[in-house]
Amino acid sequence: MKKKLMALAILGALAGTTQAQSVQDLQQALAQAQKAAADAQKAAQQAQEALAQIQQATVAASQAAEATKSSASVSQPAGEGLVYKNGGDMVRLYGLIDLSLSNKNNADKAGNSQKDMSVAWFSGNRWGIEGEHALKDTDGLKAIFKLESEYELPTGNMDTPGVLFNRDAWLGIQSESLGKLTLGRQNTLAREFSKIYGDPYGSAGVTLDEGGYSNNNNFKQLIFYSGSATGTRYDKGIVWKKEFGNIVAGVGYQVGGIPGDTATGTTKSLGLAYNGGDVNVSGFYNSANVNGYTHSSYSVGGNYQFGLVRLNAGYISYKADQPVAIGNRSDKAYTLSAKFTPAGNFDYELGWQTMNAENAAVNGSGYVLNAYANTASASKTATGKRKTWYGSAFYHFDKRTELYFALDRLNTDGTYLAAQANGFTSQNEYAIGMRFKF
């Protein structure tokens, strides 16, 4: 009996131990399950957060793409080319086509007349590309550039054989506080500051953009007084211009680049203008070293708008060192012109200029050399006046397309002979034409 009771006691103890262990195991398993559930819930929460972040990133990317798409634009303002803009970037492709049919007398040394499809009367045929790029973390500073090429419409030839961008090829920077600084091939500073009175076809005020005089005719000649060591454009030029309210100031310098010689081939220019709206005044001082000889000029002029008429007037003084055997040159030049712009599609221009040359070097044919030309080999001179009357009428279909009729009369006296008149003391020419801007 005792043995049975002892066996039962031992079995009971074993059963209690087994039951205790099972409860402990169950509790441990339950704790593990609870922890796994918590981990799963946390993982699910992290997955939801990751999904939300992905959704937010997708929306942000979509909004950024839409913003970029909406900020980029392509437009074609009338007469201003094809313009692409995207944020702080701008690129413009543009051009001008000018077709002239002309007639002039004394077109050769025999005095024959010539009817021709001539080089464009008013505007050199051109195409170009310019642009700007906003620079980050600056005070509105942007990089700017311009490449512009001229060609002859009657033949398709380059205006300057072998030179693609003969009008402009420059790079620069610009901001409201700095002004505009450009380096490379470009208009002379003197040309920019005298364009408002040099003829009636340009802007009334001096701007930071390039302009110039009319292109190819007997009344273009005043432009040479605003020249450089390389003509009416700088090669290797450095130009700074800035607006100070109504005042525009500018400095120009042309690098000579000759080894061991820092002077030959250089040009130095200063310009100052006042843009008053109805009254605009400007002037320049210009000096160039042309093959070792100093050429200099200064000028002052302006325009006045009253009603439908703009009057332009200017004075130019020019001096040039020449070989000792022939002495130096001194010129005085004057110009007066007007532009009448009535209501409607027409406008009309009328002008007069005189170039009074004293002891001007002539070339081998006896024709007076242009201002700032190389006179190193000259051995003879001439003295006299070159006077030109001119007029024109334009019919504007719109801002892109226009027709014109123009004429001029050239006269010289004394011993002054102009190359355009081929040894004669007068020449009449007229032209009809069409211009189209794209």
Side-chain angles (χ1 to χ4, degrees), residues 174-220:
Q174 183 176 2
S175 73
E176 186 174 347
S177 59
L178 171 68
K180 185 176 183 180
L181 177 66
T182 52
L183 299 91
R185 169 92 170 163
Q186 57 195 300
N187 283 355
T188 66
L189 184 82
R191 176 177 176 176
E192 293 298 313
F193 277 78
S194 59
K195 67 184 179 184
I196 69 168
Y197 56 84
D199 63 35
Y201 301 98
S203 62
V206 173
T207 69
L208 300 188
D209 295 326
E210 286 186 306
Y213 295 20
S214 55
N215 185 51
N216 182 58
N217 39 58
N218 281 330
F219 61 90
K220 178 189 176 181

Side-chain angles (χ1 to χ4, degrees), residues 204-288:
V206 173
T207 69
L208 300 188
D209 295 326
E210 286 186 306
Y213 295 20
S214 55
N215 185 51
N216 182 58
N217 39 58
N218 281 330
F219 61 90
K220 178 189 176 181
Q221 307 308 308
L222 283 179
I223 194 172
F224 292 106
Y225 288 123
S226 56
S228 72
T230 52
T232 58
R233 290 184 173 87
Y234 296 130
D235 279 344
K236 297 178 288 187
I238 304 172
V239 174
W240 171 81
K241 290 182 286 187
K242 189 178 187 308
E243 294 175 328
F244 301 88
N246 292 341
I247 304 298
V248 182
V251 179
Y253 181 75
Q254 181 177 21
V255 178
I258 299 176
D261 186 348
T262 60
T264 301
T266 61
T267 304
K268 304 171 185 177
S269 306
L270 296 173
L272 190 65
Y274 169 75
N275 293 330
D278 291 339
V279 178
N280 305 281
V281 181
S282 67
F284 70 79
Y285 174 78
N286 195 48
S287 179

Side-chain angles (χ1 to χ4, degrees), residues 134-152:
L135 302 175
K136 295 181 180 179
D137 302 323
T138 64
D139 183 22
L141 192 66
K142 57 187 178 182
I144 56 177
F145 74 90
K146 188 174 184 180
L147 302 171
E148 188 172 284
S149 177
E150 184 172 345
Y151 60 93
E152 297 177 0

Side-chain angles (χ1 to χ4, degrees), residues 135-426:
L135 302 175
K136 295 181 180 179
D137 302 323
T138 64
D139 183 22
L141 192 66
K142 57 187 178 182
I144 56 177
F145 74 90
K146 188 174 184 180
L147 302 171
E148 188 172 284
S149 177
E150 184 172 345
Y151 60 93
E152 297 177 0
L153 188 65
T155 62
N157 291 330
M158 290 182 177
D159 180 67
T160 306
V163 181
L164 178 57
F165 296 114
N166 65 322
R167 294 181 64 89
D168 287 280
W170 53 256
L171 181 67
I173 54 176
Q174 183 176 2
S175 73
E176 186 174 347
S177 59
L178 171 68
K180 185 176 183 180
L181 177 66
T182 52
L183 299 91
R185 169 92 170 163
Q186 57 195 300
N187 283 355
T188 66
L189 184 82
R191 176 177 176 176
E192 293 298 313
F193 277 78
S194 59
K195 67 184 179 184
I196 69 168
Y197 56 84
D199 63 35
Y201 301 98
S203 62
V206 173
T207 69
L208 300 188
D209 295 326
E210 286 186 306
Y213 295 20
S214 55
N215 185 51
N216 182 58
N217 39 58
N218 281 330
F219 61 90
K220 178 189 176 181
Q221 307 308 308
L222 283 179
I223 194 172
F224 292 106
Y225 288 123
S226 56
S228 72
T230 52
T232 58
R233 290 184 173 87
Y234 296 130
D235 279 344
K236 297 178 288 187
I238 304 172
V239 174
W240 171 81
K241 290 182 286 187
K242 189 178 187 308
E243 294 175 328
F244 301 88
N246 292 341
I247 304 298
V248 182
V251 179
Y253 181 75
Q254 181 177 21
V255 178
I258 299 176
D261 186 348
T262 60
T264 301
T266 61
T267 304
K268 304 171 185 177
S269 306
L270 296 173
L272 190 65
Y274 169 75
N275 293 330
D278 291 339
V279 178
N280 305 281
V281 181
S282 67
F284 70 79
Y285 174 78
N286 195 48
S287 179
N289 185 311
V290 184
N291 199 25
Y293 291 89
T294 299
H295 298 238
S296 63
S297 57
Y298 67 86
S299 177
V300 63
N303 56 65
Y304 172 57
Q305 181 81 38
F306 60 98
L308 303 175
V309 178
R310 190 182 100 189
L311 289 179
N312 315 278
Y315 165 76
I316 303 170
S317 174
Y318 168 73
K319 296 183 182 298
D321 290 343
Q322 300 178 144
V324 175
I326 60 174
N328 295 335
R329 172 178 178 174
S330 178
D331 287 18
K332 307 293 182 185
Y334 309 85
T335 180
L336 180 65
S337 63
K339 182 173 185 176
F340 176 51
T341 311
N345 297 67
F346 281 96
D347 60 58
Y348 307 90
E349 297 77 26
L350 183 65
W352 164 84
Q353 63 180 228
T354 180
M355 300 163 61
N356 306 332
E358 181 179 346
N359 200 47
V362 299
N363 63 19
S365 299
Y367 304 141
V368 171
L369 294 173
N370 291 328
Y372 289 91
N374 184 2
T375 62
S377 61
S379 59
K380 296 181 180 179
T381 64
T383 296
K385 298 179 180 179
R386 174 185 178 134
K387 296 173 286 186
T388 306
W389 288 94
Y390 60 93
S392 61
F394 280 81
Y395 178 81
H396 305 273
F397 289 100
D398 50 37
K399 291 185 177 181
R400 293 185 182 180
T401 311
E402 57 197 10
L403 302 176
Y404 61 82
F405 171 74
L407 52 82
D408 64 41
R409 176 172 174 80
L410 164 71
N411 288 98
T412 61
D413 63 17
T415 54
Y416 193 122
L417 294 177
Q420 293 85 350
N422 298 291
F424 295 90
T425 58
S426 67

